[in-house]
Protein backbone atom coordinates (compact mmCIF):
# COMPACT_ATOMS: atom_id res chain seq x y z
CA UNK A 1 0.00 0.00 0.00
CA UNK A 2 1.21 3.47 -0.86
CA UNK A 3 -1.65 5.52 0.57
CA UNK A 4 0.74 8.26 1.71
CA UNK A 5 2.93 8.64 -1.36
CA UNK A 6 3.90 12.34 -1.72
CA UNK A 7 2.39 13.11 1.71
CA UNK A 8 4.04 14.53 4.79
CA UNK A 9 3.00 13.44 8.28
CA UNK A 10 3.92 15.05 11.60
CA UNK A 11 3.70 12.64 14.53
CA UNK A 12 4.01 13.66 18.19
CA UNK A 13 5.03 11.13 20.83
CA UNK A 14 7.02 9.33 18.14
CA UNK A 15 9.84 8.16 20.42
CA UNK A 16 7.90 5.20 21.79
CA UNK A 17 4.90 2.92 21.64
CA UNK A 18 1.95 3.96 19.49
CA UNK A 19 3.68 7.09 18.16
CA UNK A 20 6.66 5.09 16.92
CA UNK A 21 4.40 2.40 15.43
CA UNK A 22 2.40 5.12 13.65
CA UNK A 23 5.54 6.74 12.27
CA UNK A 24 6.74 3.35 11.03
CA UNK A 25 3.36 2.55 9.45
CA UNK A 26 2.96 5.90 7.66
CA UNK A 27 6.56 5.79 6.44
CA UNK A 28 6.06 2.23 5.18
CA UNK A 29 3.07 3.51 3.20
CA UNK A 30 5.14 6.20 1.53
CA UNK A 31 4.83 9.24 3.82
CA UNK A 32 7.73 11.47 4.70
CA UNK A 33 7.47 11.45 8.48
CA UNK A 34 8.44 14.29 10.81
CA UNK A 35 8.76 12.75 14.27
CA UNK A 36 8.69 14.75 17.49
CA UNK A 37 8.92 13.92 21.19
CA UNK A 38 10.59 15.10 24.41
CA UNK A 39 12.59 11.85 24.50
CA UNK A 40 15.57 12.36 22.18
CA UNK A 41 17.05 8.91 22.75
CA UNK A 42 13.79 7.25 21.75
CA UNK A 43 13.45 9.58 18.77
CA UNK A 44 16.89 8.52 17.50
CA UNK A 45 15.81 4.87 17.76
CA UNK A 46 12.63 5.60 15.79
CA UNK A 47 14.66 7.35 13.07
CA UNK A 48 17.07 4.40 12.88
CA UNK A 49 14.24 1.86 12.57
CA UNK A 50 12.47 3.82 9.82
CA UNK A 51 15.67 4.47 7.83
CA UNK A 52 16.55 0.78 8.07
CA UNK A 53 13.16 0.03 6.48
CA UNK A 54 13.90 2.52 3.68
CA UNK A 55 11.59 5.28 4.95
CA UNK A 56 12.07 9.04 4.81
CA UNK A 57 12.19 10.55 8.29
CA UNK A 58 13.32 13.61 10.21
CA UNK A 59 13.08 14.04 13.98
CA UNK A 60 13.07 17.01 16.33
CA UNK A 61 12.55 17.59 20.05
CA UNK A 62 9.18 19.16 20.88
CA UNK A 63 7.26 19.56 24.14
CA UNK A 64 3.66 19.72 22.91
CA UNK A 65 2.49 21.41 26.11
CA UNK A 66 4.32 24.56 25.00
CA UNK A 67 2.55 26.53 22.25
CA UNK A 68 5.85 28.05 21.07
CA UNK A 69 7.30 24.52 20.60
CA UNK A 70 4.17 23.38 18.76
CA UNK A 71 4.44 26.29 16.31
CA UNK A 72 8.20 25.77 15.89
CA UNK A 73 7.69 22.10 15.22
CA UNK A 74 5.16 22.72 12.44
CA UNK A 75 7.42 25.39 10.91
CA UNK A 76 10.40 23.00 11.00
CA UNK A 77 8.33 20.33 9.28
CA UNK A 78 7.33 22.80 6.55
CA UNK A 79 10.95 23.98 6.19
CA UNK A 80 12.20 20.42 5.98
CA UNK A 81 9.59 18.68 3.83
CA UNK A 82 7.77 21.65 2.24
CA UNK A 83 4.22 20.66 3.24
CA UNK A 84 2.04 19.04 5.86
CA UNK A 85 -0.79 16.61 5.06
CA UNK A 86 -1.29 14.61 8.26
CA UNK A 87 -1.02 15.54 11.93
CA UNK A 88 -1.07 12.59 14.35
CA UNK A 89 -1.27 13.82 17.95
CA UNK A 90 -0.07 10.85 19.95
CA UNK A 91 2.08 12.26 22.79
CA UNK A 92 0.52 11.58 26.16
CA UNK A 93 1.12 11.02 29.86
CA UNK A 94 -0.89 9.30 32.57
CA UNK A 95 -0.94 6.88 35.46
CA UNK A 96 -3.23 5.41 38.07
CA UNK A 97 -3.36 7.42 41.27
CA UNK A 98 -5.83 7.88 44.09
CA UNK A 99 -7.68 11.11 43.41
CA UNK A 100 -6.91 12.39 46.91
CA UNK A 101 -3.16 12.08 46.13
CA UNK A 102 -3.18 14.04 42.86
CA UNK A 103 -1.06 17.17 43.20
CA UNK A 104 -1.89 20.44 41.48
CA UNK A 105 1.29 19.97 39.40
CA UNK A 106 0.28 16.49 38.25
CA UNK A 107 -3.26 17.57 37.38
CA UNK A 108 -1.93 20.55 35.40
CA UNK A 109 0.76 18.49 33.63
CA UNK A 110 -1.69 15.79 32.54
CA UNK A 111 -4.10 18.35 31.09
CA UNK A 112 -1.22 20.37 29.59
CA UNK A 113 0.28 17.45 27.63
CA UNK A 114 -2.79 15.43 26.69
CA UNK A 115 -5.38 18.12 26.05
CA UNK A 116 -3.68 21.51 25.67
CA UNK A 117 -0.80 19.91 23.74
CA UNK A 118 -3.25 18.38 21.27
CA UNK A 119 -4.97 21.74 20.84
CA UNK A 120 -1.69 23.67 20.41
CA UNK A 121 -0.53 21.23 17.73
CA UNK A 122 -3.87 21.39 15.89
CA UNK A 123 -3.91 25.18 16.01
CA UNK A 124 -0.32 25.42 14.76
CA UNK A 125 -0.84 22.87 11.97
CA UNK A 126 -4.26 23.92 10.67
CA UNK A 127 -3.12 26.67 8.26
CA UNK A 128 -0.78 24.21 6.51
CA UNK A 129 -3.38 21.41 6.61
CA UNK A 130 -5.99 23.72 5.07
CA UNK A 131 -3.61 24.35 2.17
CA UNK A 132 -3.50 20.60 1.41
CA UNK A 133 -6.96 19.39 2.56
CA UNK A 134 -5.15 17.37 5.20
CA UNK A 135 -6.23 15.27 8.15
CA UNK A 136 -5.76 15.25 11.90
CA UNK A 137 -5.88 12.09 14.01
CA UNK A 138 -5.90 12.60 17.78
CA UNK A 139 -5.12 9.93 20.36
CA UNK A 140 -7.85 9.78 22.98
CA UNK A 141 -8.50 6.64 25.06
CA UNK A 142 -11.24 4.34 26.29
CA UNK A 143 -10.70 6.43 29.44
CA UNK A 144 -12.08 9.39 27.50
CA UNK A 145 -15.37 7.56 26.93
CA UNK A 146 -16.11 5.68 30.15
CA UNK A 147 -15.31 6.20 33.82
CA UNK A 148 -11.98 4.74 34.90
CA UNK A 149 -11.08 4.66 38.60
CA UNK A 150 -7.87 6.27 39.87
CA UNK A 151 -7.60 8.25 36.64
CA UNK A 152 -9.37 11.57 37.27
CA UNK A 153 -6.89 13.80 35.40
CA UNK A 154 -6.29 11.25 32.64
CA UNK A 155 -10.02 10.65 32.04
CA UNK A 156 -10.71 14.40 32.06
CA UNK A 157 -7.90 15.05 29.57
CA UNK A 158 -8.94 12.27 27.16
CA UNK A 159 -12.63 13.16 27.37
CA UNK A 160 -11.46 16.63 26.39
CA UNK A 161 -9.57 15.22 23.40
CA UNK A 162 -12.77 13.49 22.19
CA UNK A 163 -14.75 16.73 22.37
CA UNK A 164 -11.90 18.81 20.91
CA UNK A 165 -11.88 16.38 17.96
CA UNK A 166 -15.62 16.78 17.40
CA UNK A 167 -15.50 20.57 17.70
CA UNK A 168 -12.71 20.87 15.12
CA UNK A 169 -14.37 18.31 12.83
CA UNK A 170 -17.47 20.49 12.57
CA UNK A 171 -15.60 23.78 12.26
CA UNK A 172 -13.37 22.61 9.40
CA UNK A 173 -15.70 20.14 7.63
CA UNK A 174 -16.47 22.51 4.75
CA UNK A 175 -12.86 23.58 4.38
CA UNK A 176 -11.49 20.13 3.59
CA UNK A 177 -9.68 19.18 6.79
CA UNK A 178 -10.97 16.05 8.57
CA UNK A 179 -10.45 15.53 12.31
CA UNK A 180 -10.92 12.12 13.92
CA UNK A 181 -9.71 10.35 17.04
CA UNK A 182 -8.79 6.86 18.15
CA UNK A 183 -9.66 5.45 21.57
CA UNK A 184 -7.33 2.58 22.46
CA UNK A 185 -7.91 0.22 25.35
CA UNK A 186 -4.90 -1.61 26.82
CA UNK A 187 -2.01 -1.43 24.35
CA UNK A 188 1.31 -3.12 25.01
CA UNK A 189 3.66 -0.11 25.38
CA UNK A 190 5.90 1.31 28.14
CA UNK A 191 2.96 3.59 29.04
CA UNK A 192 1.16 0.77 30.87
CA UNK A 193 3.91 0.64 33.51
CA UNK A 194 2.29 3.74 35.04
CA UNK A 195 -1.08 2.04 35.11
CA UNK A 196 -0.38 -0.30 38.02
CA UNK A 197 -3.12 -0.22 40.63
CA UNK A 198 -2.11 2.09 43.49
CA UNK A 199 -1.84 0.67 47.03
CA UNK A 200 -5.26 0.01 48.47
CA UNK A 201 -7.00 0.09 45.07
CA UNK A 202 -10.21 -1.91 44.55
CA UNK A 203 -9.11 -4.05 41.59
CA UNK A 204 -12.63 -4.81 40.36
CA UNK A 205 -13.15 -1.08 39.78
CA UNK A 206 -10.31 -1.28 37.25
CA UNK A 207 -11.23 -4.58 35.58
CA UNK A 208 -15.02 -4.18 35.63
CA UNK A 209 -15.55 -3.85 31.86
CA UNK A 210 -12.70 -5.86 30.44
CA UNK A 211 -13.76 -8.62 27.97
CA UNK A 212 -10.31 -10.01 27.15
CA UNK A 213 -6.97 -10.01 28.95
CA UNK A 214 -4.77 -9.68 25.89
CA UNK A 215 -3.14 -6.33 25.25
CA UNK A 216 -3.04 -5.22 21.63
CA UNK A 217 0.27 -4.35 19.96
CA UNK A 218 0.86 -0.65 19.14
CA UNK A 219 0.74 -1.55 15.42
CA UNK A 220 -3.01 -2.25 15.83
CA UNK A 221 -3.57 1.39 16.79
CA UNK A 222 -1.18 2.62 14.10
CA UNK A 223 -3.33 0.82 11.50
CA UNK A 224 -6.41 2.72 12.71
CA UNK A 225 -4.53 6.03 12.60
CA UNK A 226 -3.31 5.27 9.08
CA UNK A 227 -6.85 4.50 7.90
CA UNK A 228 -8.32 7.69 9.39
CA UNK A 229 -5.48 9.79 7.96
CA UNK A 230 -5.80 8.26 4.49
CA UNK A 231 -8.03 9.22 1.57
CA UNK A 232 -9.89 5.94 2.09
CA UNK A 233 -11.49 7.70 5.08
CA UNK A 234 -12.48 10.71 2.92
CA UNK A 235 -16.04 10.60 4.26
CA UNK A 236 -15.05 9.90 7.88
CA UNK A 237 -15.01 13.07 9.98
CA UNK A 238 -15.48 13.58 13.71
CA UNK A 239 -15.32 9.82 14.27
CA UNK A 240 -14.31 8.27 17.57
CA UNK A 241 -12.80 4.90 16.67
CA UNK A 242 -12.28 2.44 19.53
CA UNK A 243 -9.41 -0.05 19.31
CA UNK A 244 -10.06 -1.79 22.60
CA UNK A 245 -11.22 -5.40 22.00
CA UNK A 246 -14.75 -4.42 22.98
CA UNK A 247 -14.03 -2.67 26.27
CA UNK A 248 -16.34 0.20 25.36
CA UNK A 249 -19.50 -1.12 23.76
CA UNK A 250 -22.38 1.26 24.25
N1 LIG B 1 -0.80 2.20 25.94
C1 LIG B 1 -2.10 2.22 26.18
O1 LIG B 1 -2.67 1.26 26.72
C2 LIG B 1 -2.93 3.41 25.78
C3 LIG B 1 -4.31 3.32 25.90
C4 LIG B 1 -5.11 4.41 25.55
C5 LIG B 1 -4.52 5.56 25.07
N2 LIG B 1 -3.17 5.63 24.98
C6 LIG B 1 -2.62 6.90 24.49
O2 LIG B 1 -1.76 6.66 23.41
C7 LIG B 1 -0.76 7.67 23.36
C8 LIG B 1 0.60 7.02 23.22
O3 LIG B 1 0.80 6.21 24.34
P1 LIG B 1 1.83 4.98 24.34
O4 LIG B 1 1.11 3.86 24.93
O5 LIG B 1 2.49 4.85 23.03
O6 LIG B 1 2.85 5.52 25.45
P2 LIG B 1 4.43 5.73 25.43
O7 LIG B 1 4.77 6.15 26.82
O8 LIG B 1 5.09 4.56 24.85
O9 LIG B 1 4.57 6.99 24.45
C9 LIG B 1 4.16 8.27 24.81
C10 LIG B 1 5.17 9.24 24.23
O10 LIG B 1 4.73 10.58 24.51
C11 LIG B 1 5.92 11.33 24.80
N3 LIG B 1 5.60 12.55 25.53
C12 LIG B 1 5.23 12.66 26.84
N4 LIG B 1 5.09 13.96 27.15
C13 LIG B 1 5.35 14.68 26.04
C14 LIG B 1 5.36 16.06 25.74
N5 LIG B 1 5.09 16.99 26.66
N6 LIG B 1 5.67 16.44 24.47
C15 LIG B 1 5.98 15.52 23.53
N7 LIG B 1 6.00 14.19 23.76
C16 LIG B 1 5.69 13.78 25.00
C17 LIG B 1 6.77 10.37 25.62
O11 LIG B 1 8.13 10.80 25.69
C18 LIG B 1 6.58 9.08 24.87
O12 LIG B 1 7.55 8.89 23.87
C19 LIG B 1 -0.94 8.51 24.62
O13 LIG B 1 -1.65 9.68 24.30
C20 LIG B 1 -1.78 7.63 25.52
O14 LIG B 1 -2.57 8.38 26.41
C21 LIG B 1 -2.35 4.60 25.31
Amino acid sequence: MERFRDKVALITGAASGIGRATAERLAAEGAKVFCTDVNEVGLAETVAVIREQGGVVHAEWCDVSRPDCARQSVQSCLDHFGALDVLANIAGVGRFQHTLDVSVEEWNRTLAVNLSGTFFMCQAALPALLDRCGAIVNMASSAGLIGQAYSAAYCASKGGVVQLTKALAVEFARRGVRVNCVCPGGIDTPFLAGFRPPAGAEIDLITRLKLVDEKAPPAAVAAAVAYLASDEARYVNGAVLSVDAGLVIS
Side-chain angles (χ1 to χ4, degrees):
M1 276 194 289
E2 284 256 305
R3 291 183 296 188
F4 297 96
R5 191 205 298 254
D6 299 325
K7 306 250 181 188
V8 177
L10 193 165
I11 298 131
T12 75
S16 177
I18 295 168
R20 176 180 290 171
T22 299
E24 279 186 58
R25 174 72 189 241
L26 297 183
E29 291 199 39
K32 299 181 185 100
V33 291
F34 192 90
C35 296
T36 70
D37 204 292
V38 288
N39 173 357
E40 292 191 283
V41 174
L43 268 184
E45 286 167 12
T46 301
V47 168
V49 169
I50 292 174
R51 290 215 173 116
E52 211 172 273
Q53 295 165 354
V56 179
V57 57
H58 183 78
E60 266 184 35
W61 184 91
C62 171
D63 178 349
V64 296
S65 70
R66 290 176 43 187
D68 58 326
C69 284
R71 284 193 296 272
Q72 177 57 46
S73 183
V74 169
Q75 190 54 54
S76 291
C77 176
L78 294 174
D79 291 345
H80 199 81
F81 287 133
L84 180 59
D85 300 280
V86 173
L87 171 65
N89 282 309
I90 298 179
V93 292
R95 66 182 180 121
F96 278 144
Q97 206 182 9
H98 289 284
T99 291
L100 298 186
D101 295 337
V102 177
S103 66
V104 171
E105 291 72 25
E106 179 140 10
W107 171 268
N108 286 339
R109 186 73 194 145
T110 307
L111 272 289
V113 176
N114 296 358
L115 180 55
S116 303
T118 301
F119 174 72
F120 296 147
M121 287 302 306
C122 290
Q123 197 181 41
L126 270 161
L129 292 171
L130 284 163
D131 283 347
R132 304 268 286 193
C133 289
I136 296 174
V137 183
N138 293 326
M139 200 49 56
S141 169
S142 53
L145 299 174
I146 55 171
Q148 182 171 287
Y150 315 116
S151 312
Y154 187 69
C155 277
S157 70
K158 293 298 187 178
V161 170
V162 171
Q163 278 303 107
L164 169 62
T165 299
K166 292 180 179 179
L168 296 180
V170 175
E171 185 169 340
F172 293 96
R174 290 182 179 153
R175 298 170 67 190
V177 173
R178 297 179 299 104
V179 190
N180 294 289
C181 71
V182 179
C183 291
I187 308 299
D188 192 9
T189 73
F191 195 74
L192 284 187
F195 282 85
R196 296 226 173 80
E202 294 176 62
I203 300 303
D204 61 322
L205 292 184
I206 295 170
T207 56
R208 70 197 170 101
L209 295 166
K210 213 191 287 186
L211 293 181
V212 298
D213 273 334
E214 192 191 345
K215 290 177 190 64
V221 184
V225 175
Y227 166 66
L228 291 172
S230 77
D231 284 343
E232 284 187 286
R234 194 176 305 122
Y235 298 103
V236 181
N237 189 29
V240 180
L241 177 56
S242 288
V243 181
D244 65 358
L247 179 69
V248 178
I249 297 177
S250 55

